[in-house]
Amino acid sequence: MTARISRLPDLATFTAAALEHVRQAAQKAVAQRGRFLMALSGGTTPLPLYAAMAQQGIGVPFDATFFFFGDERFVSMGDPRSTFGAVAPVLFTRAPIPVGNIHPMPVDLTPPGLAASVYEEDMRETFGTPPGETPRFDLLLLGLGADGHTASLFPDSPALEETARLVVAVAAPTTTEPRVPRLTVTLPVVNAARQVLFLVGAPGKESILARVLGGPPDKHLPASLVRPQGGAEWLIREG
Ligand code: 6PG
């Protein structure tokens, strides 16, 4: 895995480094293609970055930026477990982002498989991706679970075998919380991204980090299957 790893000593330096990654990706995307297509990740680690994006900006106009999600818990947006519900108050309500540029996963649609298909079409339409091609995010954020999952790609999940669909519904995980059904982008989408940035709050994750970064691709460790062209960036917060 051609991973580029940066270890930061504390939250302030970690957040500043992450914001700089976002800004560089945004400015490159807008310069080359006139817009910035970003996939946000869930969990708690990225929330300070989202707040910093809203407070300090991302170096490009927010009206040129389109926010998608790499995954979502299949609960209502008002549920405390909702990723959108956690992100909205620190980013979307704090920055001049046109509402049409925000693409939450449609957790109000059932069954979850339908929600996944609808999100896939939203992605294809927004990206303008021809059939048979894979949409390419300019920047896709990921976290790392203690079980080696990333997004909602869980150890040994059938979703890891998906090669055609861009978004799938997955059963509630048994190795991590919250144990609710999820929607997730698939590995073709992750590995097609122009940049993949892992944000890891390391305290307590050194062992899984060593296994993911030090070994071969392994379906027991889904994060090890993330192999975008040019490799992934890892920002690891040590304090
Ligand atoms: C989620 C995320 C998940 C998360 C990791 C790390 O819905 O929880 O998609 O993949 O990124 O579990 O979470 P922390 O950043 O909170 O450690």
Side-chain angles (χ1 to χ4, degrees), residues 35 37-40 66-72 100-106 115-131 133-140 164-168 183-193:
R35 62 182 182 169
L37 298 160
M38 183 175 182
L40 304 176
F66 295 80
F67 292 105
F68 284 77
F69 287 80
D71 70 324
E72 182 58 275
N101 289 26
I102 302 169
H103 295 256
M105 288 189 162
S117 300
V118 167
Y119 201 64
E120 175 163 333
E121 281 317 305
D122 178 21
M123 203 182 285
R124 285 192 178 284
E125 186 177 326
T126 306
F127 283 59
T129 310
E133 292 186 22
T134 303
R136 299 193 68 194
F137 280 102
D138 296 306
L139 179 61
L140 185 139
R165 289 180 293 170
L166 307 179
V167 185
V168 294
L183 299 177
T184 186
V185 295
T186 55
L187 285 168
V189 173
V190 171
N191 287 327

Side-chain angles (χ1 to χ4, degrees), residues 42-46 71 73 83 143-145 149-152 182 205:
T44 56
T45 301
D71 70 324
R73 292 86 178 272
T83 293
L144 176 66
H149 82 262
T150 193
S152 284
R182 312 286 188 96
K205 292 201 178 153

